[in-house]
Every structure is written in structure tokens, then in C-alpha cells.
């Protein structure tokens, strides 16, 4: 088996012993893939993503990232610089007073100088169409703006893989469309956990469904989206 | 630390009543007063024999009631760190009978004895209180204080604080996880301290917003300007038994000390 | 750093300190409760809860690590209400974590809350200044001076309760010099964030300020 | 115009002057109606509900409840005893340590004796299928249990009108179904703000959509649900 960027090998996980969330779940992400991760509420999508960045450690099974087996916190420290994770709730992700400081947080952690960080901030913000946002107060942004700033904060670390947990949840149509447009332009391999049919149209090129603690392929291409929509809308 | 946070709100859980446990039927008020009296009496002791006896009783109590199972023994750590510190420092404070002297440093016997006695006493008290209060919900302790005459505002302050500890710990955990995935590792530098400062500020802001929503919810349920307690059960025969045993133990210790 | 009754009960002076602490805390708490009306209970409680949660955070300091205390911040936010808020938080620490004892609760609260109230009168206006550059300074001085004063009170209590504690008292105070530095930096940043995010909102204020907003 | 239970008459509201949330919004709730309130995130559903119980006062326009014009805090104090409001986040609503105390909080504030309050508590809990929940600790309940207990706390005041803010948000299918079943059995007039198609099937008998700060009727009955789903997905 050729190694992908991210490989989960028969991982199991439970928060609570009598209700396992993942059961010998396998997953592989290759370069240039944009995987859509479907599944009902509570099926474990967030759990899978957290496992990839080592916020949760599997009860059994192996996590291999960029070809390297990751076990300890130390292994994952390296991984987290190269894998960007967008949280489900942006409020949990933005904790600095201003946008500029929040976006600079990652680069500063990676040892960049303040000058470099500042440049990265302005570059990233203009990439996402958020010019002159540097001094805005994160706590007061609208839901859509928070999402985009959180995404900027993730992209500022120049990750090779993106994990996006419901990037359009809680956004209205206009804001969601903006996020979709931005995602389409990004070059990285991605895993997008989502319920949102708007995302499945275009950024995503492979669909997986999490059910019963395992990932199963959802029929590919147009059919998949039709299928999904059939489920949402009778 | 991280596991304290990961087991968000589990303080209460580790104190939760379980079936078939011998102090279960005893009223929280009685247990609280007993803990207080036990602390008082043991604090007043000074002879080594009595202190050893007190510690012995606490240990037996802990064994009998299972108070040290799960993670509760960890609560002995802070006090013993303090005792270790004293054990290191008190003997250096000078005294009549040096046991060891290296250059200018003299280790005195008095200090050593004093530190050991403090250690005995501290462990007896902490362990005794742990036994007497074990598996009591913080919430019941709050109620007990209320019925013991502590002002309503203060007991409600305590109850609200306990209620939202878990919520805040989860919020803290999520923010910390978000920092972690962006490569944050605490170090000894300005960036670290500033980030912690922001983290605290953000927690406070969210808390204030939440507090405002709580007040709204209270108003929606007819809250006007005071709290009305829903009172608790009366004392029972078990309380009498429990009180008798505790009094007996305390009397025994007193007699041992001064007789 | 919390004292335990086992440490202070060795001498009559120590017992005196415990009693003095209890009386002081009783008085301060009564004042604090008067300054807080029923509607403010949730706000104050959430500040207590933040204080408790934050006090579990390890912050690296050289080879060891320290816990944040933040009594200065609580003081800036709550004024006299810091007394009941800190009393509750310290009671939780005593029962749930094992920091300090039940009988020493009065003294420990007094040692934390008295500097907090002082800081409120000294730096609260400064922390609401129009000039941004001052916010950090106000927070820094408030945070570090509060913890230093607390450390001083604790050392003093040790000192008076017996000659043999002299060395321990000095050690406690010296250790807190370093801690004060870190507290200052953290509280300074917190104040900067709070002022930047809600300049119009009287959050960093007296209970009267809280009242206006309700 | 015959007076309904709740009437909003051209109310306007803004948290922030340059972004009004409600603009001359009209609304009427009659007896036996169960209104579903739809609208994208941030469209102002919660704002409408808060306005009805006087947690927010309109910038302009009138609020008339049970035929009485309500203006001051004092007017609304009376209203809040007869209109029950279920908050979006149960953690905000369950602030007492035990379930019994939380459910008794409303009745005690209404001047009931402790004995009466205790009876109301056990009656309400068994109505919602939560027997022996009295001494459970609120912060240890699961998400679904919290929702039901919060509902019990609201029902314990025997309100004539219920305002429910996303009663099934964040619940898994089983828990959500339980809430839906309970709601179906309740006799009160209701306003349910929701995104959840599960709720629109059966408790609701009239649908309104909040858009551009106003409420517009959504086509009724079965059609409505189809329509809703059409709107979710372009
Ligand atoms: N910290 C936790 N402690 C206990 N159980 C948890 C925790 N986090 C999640 N769970 C449970 O694990 C299961 C999977 O959760 P997860 O968040 O991964 O689901 P999800 O697919 O992301 O759902 P959603 O669509 O709601 O985001 C759920 O049943 C949830 O209740
Ligand atoms: N306390 C507040 N201060 C400032 N703006 C607010 C406040 N509460 C809500 N808003 C803004 O008012 C608008 C309407 O908010 P509201 O909560 O009523 O929406 P909603 O329809 O309930 O949304 P959701 O589906 O997310 O619950 C949003 O744009 C929101 O950002
Ligand atoms: Mg999720
Ligand atoms: Mg809402």
C-alpha cells in the first residue's frame, strides 16, 4: 500500500467504553485529493479530524502522517505545523483581540520573526479577500467573517494538508458561498467534514460517509451529490 | 493538569455518591460540621503520639470508606509539597541541638522535629476532611452551608460557580486545543505570557456574555430580586450515629493529648 | 501558595493569625456581598469559576512551572466583591484540589483579597484610561503588585508564627518575585484584550458599573 | 384586527445602528397555533423571541401580549409568568445544581410554597418521561437530557404560550425525536425557531420565514417542507 499524506489504519476510539465512536476505521488521503466527509450528527467526523492532528490518540490502530508513524505528542507536534485544522466553532479558534494578532499566532509559534509574521498576515488576509482587516476586533466579527479569519489563521501556517470541520456551518448563503469560493482556489489536499450540499458541488472530489464507526465510499462524482440531495430533500 | 482539564467537570463526579457506601445517608451539614471540628481538634494537638493516633484514625477511615480510591489521593499532593518545603527549610533555621553541620549550614534537630510534626498534623487533617467529605457533591456542600446560616447570596455564588466550572473547563480545553494545533508550546517568553493573557481575557469575555444570558433565563422564570431555596431533607438517625462516632473519636484524641 | 492550618497552628501567634484572617475575611465578605446585588451573582460566579480554572494552568518558568493566581485581575474586575468571589474559589480549591485547609480559609482569602481590593482602588481608573499604551502598564502593575502583596502577607504570617519559619518566609517571598513578573505580563495582556474588545462596556468596573449595564 | 395571544406590531430593533435586525416586523400568534419560525443564521429569530418576553425592548413599534400593551419591565414581569421561553443553549438555562431545584425555580418565584413546588416538579418530570430525575445534578446530564429538563423547567410555570429557540439543535436523532414527541403532546400555543426539518413535520402548523428583518408566510402544510428544503439548497 503506497503511503498517502494521511493514513488511518484500523483506528478505534471511544469517549465512553460502551459507545465506541470509531471501530477499526481506515482512511487514506492522497495528494490533490479533496475528500468530503459525510455523516449524521455525532457520527464521529470531528473525532476523525482530531485524531489526525493528535488531539485524540486512538485506542488501537495506527496513524501515519507524511509517511511517518505518529504515536506520541512529540510526533504530532511536527504534524501540526504541516496540517492545518479549522475548528467547527470559530469562537473556539480566535482568542486574540485583533485579527492581525490571531493570524500571526501560528507563524510566531513556528519561530517566524515579527516582521515575517506581519508580512504573512497581510498576504494571507488579502488572499482571502479580507483587506484592511488587520485591526478589526475578532470578538466582534460576524459569523462569516470569523470563519474566514479562522481560515486565514490556519492558512498563515502554510500547511500542506487542510482539515476543515464544517467550514460553512452556521453561515448564511452569501457567507457560505464566499467560503466555498475561497476553498476552491486553494491548492492543498483537504478533508472537509460537512453536512452542507453547497460544498459537495465543487471543492470536493471524493466522498466518504462515516457510519457505524467506519468510513465507506459514497458513490462518486455527480451521482454522489444527487444521492446526498435525495437524502436531504425528498 | 491536562488530565484535570480533560476530565472536565469531573471533580463533582469523583465525589458522586455511590450505592452501599457507609456515609451515604449522613446529612451534608453533619459531615461539614464534623470536618470542621476534626480540623479544629487536630490543629490544637501537639504531642507526637496523639498526632500519630489522629493520622492513624484518618488512614483507617480512608481505608474503611474507600475515600482514597480513584483520583482523590492526589489531593494530598499540594499539602505534602508544602511539608517537603518546610522539611528542607525549618532545620536550617537554627536550634539548640545540631545534628549535622556542613560549613556555615547547620541542620537543627528542633526544626526537623517541628517539620515532621507539621507533616503528621497536615496529613491527618487533609485525610480526615477527605474522608468526612468524600463523595459529597459540591452542590450539597453549598446547600449545607445555606442551611447553616451562610447568607443566600454567598451560597448562590458558590452554587453558580460550581455549576459553571465544567462549562468553563470545556471552553478552556477547546481554546487550548486550538492553540495547540497552531503549534503553540508554552515556553519562557513574552509570546507565551501574552498568549495566556489573551486566553484568560477571552474566557472572561465569554463568561460575561454567558452570565448575561443566565440572568435573562432567570428573569424569564419570574426571578425578581431574591432566591427562594427549595429546602432539603431533615436529619435522621444516621446523623445521630455519625455524630456520636465523631465525638467519640475527638474526645479520645483530646484525652490522649491532655491526660 | 496557600497556607494550611497545620503550619500556622504551631504557636499562639500563628493561631492569632488564623483568627485575624477569619475576622478580616468575614468583614470583607460582608462588604463585598453588600456591594453585589442578586442579579450580579452569575457574573461574579463566572469570574470565580475563571479564577479557579485558570489557577490550574501550569506556566513554565525556567526549569519548573508555576500556577497563575490572578487575584489582581479579579480585584480590577470586582472591587470589594473580590472577597466573596475569592472566598468561594479558595473553598473550592481546598475541597477539590487540596490547596489550603478549611480553617486557614479565612487567612488565605484575606491574603488574596486584600491586595485585590487595594489594586482596584489604585489601578482601576488607569486600566480604563483613554490611552491604550497605559492599559498594559496598569494591568502589569496591578497583577504583579497584588501577587507580591499576597506573598508578603503570607510570608509575614509565617514569620510571626515562629522564628524557625524565617527562612521559609524568605523563600516564599523570593519565589514570588519571579511569579509576580509572569502574573504581571499575563494580567497586562488580559487587560489589553478586555479594553480593546469592549472599550464601551463597563466590564472592568465596580459592581455599580455592572449594575448600570443590567 | 382581533387580538392574538402575542402581537408584534411593526417592531424594529438593532443591536448596532448600521445593521438593523428587525425592520417594522409584524407577527401574530393565535390560540392553538404552532408557528415554525425559519430563517438563516443571524436573521433574528432569537431576537424576535426575546422581544416577546421583553428581554429586548423594541426601538420602535409595539408589543401586545394577551391583549395588553407591554412597555416597561414591570409589564413584562407579568408576561414572563404566562409565556415560557426555552433558550437556545440549555447551559444558560439550567443554572441550579439539581434538577428538582431548577424545575422548582419558576414556581417558587411565582410564590408557590415549597410543598406545591415539589409536587409540580414531580408532576412535570413524569409528564416529560423523566422520572427519578429530581436529584440528578444538572451539569452531569447529557445534551438531550438537559434540553428536556430545561423544557420541564419552562413547563413547570404552566405557561399559556411556549417560545422554543431551536429545541433540537445539537441533539442526535434519538434525543431530537424524544423532544419532538414531547412537543407534539403539549397543548400550548407555540413559536418554534428552528432549522430542523424534523420539527416541521408535525408539531408545527404554520410556517413563517424571517428575512430582511421581516416575517413572511411560508407556503403551508406539506408543501412547506419541500419548499424549505429547496431553499436550503439552491
Ligand atoms: N468530549 C467528549 N466526551 C464524550 N463524548 C463525546 C465527546 N465529544 C464527542 N463525543 C461523542 O462522540 C460522538 C462523536 O462526536 P463527533 O463530535 O466526532 O461527531 P460529529 O460527527 O462531528 O458530529 P457533529 O455533526 O454534531 O459535529 C458523539 O456521540 C458525541 O456525543
Ligand atoms: N448581543 C448582541 N450584540 C450584538 N449583536 C448581536 C447580539 N445578539 C445578536 N446579534 C446580532 O443580531 C443578529 C440576529 O441575531 P439572532 O441571534 O437573533 O439570530 P438567529 O436568527 O437567532 O440566529 P441563529 O440561527 O444563529 O440562532 C445577528 O447578526 C447577530 O450577530
Ligand atoms: Mg463535528
Ligand atoms: Mg438564535
Amino acid at each position: 500500500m503506497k503511503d498517502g499524506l494521511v493514513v488511518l489504519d484500523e483506528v478505534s476510539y471511544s469517549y465512553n467504553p460502551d459507545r465506541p465512536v470509531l471501530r477499526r476505521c481506515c482512511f487514506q488521503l492522497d495528494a490533490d485529493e479533496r475528500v468530503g466527509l459525510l455523516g449524521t450528527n455525532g457520527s464521529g467526523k470531528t473525532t476523525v479530524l482530531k485524531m489526525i492532528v493528535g488531539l485524540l490518540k486512538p485506542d488501537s490502530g495506527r496513524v501515519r502522517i507524511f509517511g511517518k508513524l505518529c504515536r506520541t505528542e512529540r510526533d504530532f507536534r511536527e504534524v501540526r505545523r504541516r496540517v492545518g485544522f479549522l475548528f467547527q466553532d470559530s469562537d473556539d479558534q480566535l482568542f486574540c483581540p485583533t485579527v492581525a494578532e490571531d493570524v500571526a499566532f501560528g507563524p510566531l509559534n513556528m519561530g517566524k520573526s515579527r516582521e515575517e509574521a506581519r508580512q504573512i498576515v497581510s498576504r494571507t488576509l488579502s488572499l482571502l479577500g479580507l483587506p484592511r482587516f488587520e485591526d478589526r476586533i475578532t470578538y466582534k466579527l460576524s459569523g462569516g467573517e470569523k470563519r474566514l479569519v479562522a481560515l486565514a489563521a490556519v492558512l498563515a501556517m502554510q500547511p500542506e494538508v487542510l482539515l476543515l470541520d464544517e467550514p460553512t456551518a452556521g453561515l448564511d448563503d452569501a457567507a457560505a458561498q464566499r467560503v466555498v469560493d475561497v476553498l476552491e482556489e486553494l491548492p492543498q489536499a483537504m478533508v472537509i467534514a460537512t453536512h452542507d450540499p453547497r460544498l459537495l458541488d465543487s471543492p470536493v472530489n471524493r466522498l466518504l460517509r462515516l457510519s457505524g464507526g467506519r468510513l465507506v465510499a459514497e458513490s462518486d462524482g455527480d451521482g454522489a451529490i444527487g444521492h446526498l440531495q435525495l437524502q436531504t430533500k425528498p | 493538569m491536562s488530565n484535570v482539564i480533560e476530565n472536565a467537570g469531573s471533580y463533582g463526579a469523583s465525589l458522586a455518591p455511590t450505592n452501599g457506601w457507609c456515609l451515604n445517608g449522613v446529612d451534608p451539614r453533619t459531615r461539614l460540621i464534623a470536618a470542621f471540628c476534626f480540623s479544629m481538634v487536630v490543629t490544637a494537638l501537639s504531642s507526637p503520639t496523639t498526632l500519630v493516633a489522629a493520622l492513624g484514625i484518618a488512614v483507617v477511615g480512608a481505608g474503611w470508606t474507600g475515600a482514597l480510591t480513584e483520583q482523590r489521593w492526589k489531593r494530598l499532593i499540594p499539602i505534602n509539597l508544602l511539608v517537603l518545603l518546610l522539611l528542607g527549610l525549618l532545620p536550617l533555621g537554627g536550634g539548640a541541638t545540631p545534628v549535622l553541620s556542613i560549613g556555615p549550614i547547620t541542620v537543627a534537630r528542633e526544626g526537623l522535629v517541628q517539620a515532621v510534626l507539621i507533616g503528621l498534623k497536615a496529613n491527618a487533617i487533609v485525610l480526615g476532611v477527605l474522608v468526612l467529605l468524600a463523595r459529597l457533591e459540591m452542590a450539597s456542600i453549598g446547600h449545607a452551608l445555606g442551611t447553616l446560616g451562610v447568607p443566600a447570596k454567598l451560597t448562590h455564588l458558590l452554587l453558580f460557580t460550581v455549576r459553571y466550572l465544567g462549562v468553563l473547563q470545556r471552553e478552556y480545553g477547546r481554546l487550548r486545543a486550538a492553540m495547540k494545533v497552531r503549534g503553540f508550546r508554552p515556553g519562557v517568553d513574552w509570546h507565551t505570557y501574552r498568549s495566556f493573557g489573551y486566553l484568560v481575557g477571552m474566557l472572561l469575555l465569554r463568561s460575561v456574555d454567558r452570565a448575561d444570558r443566565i440572568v435573562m433565563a432567570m428573569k424569564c422564570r419570574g426571578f425578581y430580586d431574591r432566591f427562594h431555596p427549595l429546602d432539603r431533607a431533615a436529619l435522621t438517625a444516621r446523623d445521630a450515629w455519625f455524630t456520636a462516632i465523631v465525638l467519640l473519636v475527638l474526645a479520645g484524641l483530646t484525652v490522649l493529648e491532655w491526660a | 501558595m496557600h497556607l494550611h492550618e497545620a503550619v500556622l497552628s504551631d504557636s499562639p501567634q500563628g493561631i492569632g493569625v488564623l483568627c485575624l484572617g477569619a475576622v478580616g475575611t468575614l468583614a470583607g465578605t460582608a462588604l463585598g456581598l453588600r456591594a453585589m446585588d442578586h442579579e450580579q451573582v452569575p457574573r461574579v460566579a463566572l469570574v470565580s469559576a475563571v479564577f479557579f480554572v485558570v489557577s490550574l494552568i501550569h506556566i513554565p518558568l525556567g526549569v519548573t512551572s508555576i500556577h497563575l493566581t490572578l487575584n489582581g485581575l479579579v480585584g480590577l474586575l470586582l472591587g470589594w466583591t473580590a472577597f466573596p468571589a475569592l472566598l468561594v474559589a479558595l473553598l473550592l480549591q481546598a475541597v477539590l484540589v487540596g490547596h489550603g485547609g478549611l480553617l486557614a480559609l479565612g487567612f488565605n482569602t484575606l491574603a488574596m483579597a486584600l491586595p485585590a481590593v487595594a489594586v482596584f482602588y489604585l489601578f482601576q481608573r488607569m486600566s480604563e484610561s483613554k490611552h491604550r499604551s497605559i492599559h498594559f502598564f496598569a494591568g502589569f502593575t496591578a497583577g504583579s503588585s497584588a501577587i507580591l502583596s499576597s506573598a508578603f502577607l503570607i510570608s509575614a504570617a509565617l514569620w510571626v508564627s515562629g522564628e524557625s519559619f524565617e527562612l521559609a518566609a524568605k523563600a516564599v517571598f523570593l519565589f514570588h518575585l519571579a511569579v509576580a513578573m509572569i502574573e504581571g505580563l499575563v494580567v497586562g495582556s488580559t487587560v489589553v484584550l478586555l479594553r480593546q474588545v469592549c472599550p464601551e462596556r463597563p466590564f472592568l468596573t465596580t459592581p455599580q458599573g455592572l449594575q448600570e449595564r443590567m
Side-chain angles (χ1 to χ4, degrees), chain A residues 157-211:
Chain A
M157 298 181 69
Q158 290 147 334
E160 296 157 49
V161 172
L162 286 176
L163 310 177
L164 310 172
D165 200 353
E166 315 214 359
T168 56
L171 299 189
D172 63 27
D173 281 338
Q177 193 53 50
R178 187 121 174 255
V179 172
V180 171
D181 292 344
V182 166
L183 291 184
E184 273 173 24
E185 296 301 314
L186 293 176
Q188 283 96 340
M190 298 182 193
V191 185
I192 310 183
T194 189
H195 292 287
D196 190 344
R198 289 170 293 203
L199 273 170
L200 303 177
D201 239 353
S202 128
V204 165
N205 57 25
R206 183 175 146 219
L207 277 180
L208 293 174
R209 175 173 293 278
L210 196 54
S211 84

Side-chain angles (χ1 to χ4, degrees), chain C residues 2-212:
Chain C
H2 303 310
L3 285 186
H4 193 272
E5 56 258 24
V7 177
L8 284 183
S9 67
D10 237 28
S11 63
Q13 300 96 299
I15 296 192
V17 166
L18 282 179
C19 295
L20 206 68
V23 171
T25 294
L26 218 59
T29 305
L31 275 173
L33 287 177
R34 263 213 351 228
M36 164 180 84
D37 70 29
H38 283 275
E39 261 190 26
Q40 291 163 354
V41 169
R43 267 201 184 204
V44 178
L46 280 158
V47 174
S48 289
V50 170
F51 177 88
F52 181 86
V53 169
V54 167
S55 71
L56 297 172
I57 305 178
H58 283 291
I59 300 230
L61 171 66
V63 288
T64 92
S65 68
I66 60 155
H67 294 283
L68 287 174
T69 308
L70 303 188
N71 59 332
L73 183 64
V74 174
L76 279 183
L77 298 177
L78 299 178
W80 277 101
T81 312
F83 262 98
L86 290 171
L87 176 62
V88 161
L90 293 185
L91 173 64
L92 291 176
Q93 288 188 344
V95 176
L96 298 179
V97 197
H99 284 296
L102 290 180
L103 297 185
L105 195 57
F107 173 75
N108 283 328
T109 306
L110 189 73
M112 290 284 173
L114 209 54
V117 174
V119 149
F120 172 80
Y121 284 111
L122 292 173
F123 302 111
Q124 199 269 336
R125 299 205 71 138
M126 206 154 111
S127 76
E128 291 205 324
S129 150
K130 294 266 181 302
H131 304 281
R132 281 201 180 175
S133 47
I134 293 187
H135 296 156
F136 179 79
F137 179 72
F140 180 88
T141 16
S144 49
S145 62
I147 189 70
L148 265 190
S149 318
S150 295
F152 175 77
L153 289 175
I154 289 171
S155 309
L158 277 175
W159 194 306
V160 300
S161 60
E163 266 170 40
S164 48
F165 287 107
E166 192 181 316
L167 212 57
K170 281 183 191 159
V172 165
F173 190 75
L174 286 180
F175 177 68
H176 280 83
L177 280 177
V179 173
M181 192 63 201
I182 293 179
E183 285 261 335
L185 294 174
V186 170
V187 175
S189 314
T190 305
V191 171
V192 166
L193 180 138
L194 292 176
R195 299 309 303 157
Q196 213 166 348
V197 175
C198 49
E200 79 288 355
R201 191 151 83 163
F203 174 56
L204 291 174
T205 73
T206 55
Q208 286 73 36
L210 291 180
Q211 215 160 347
E212 280 155 26

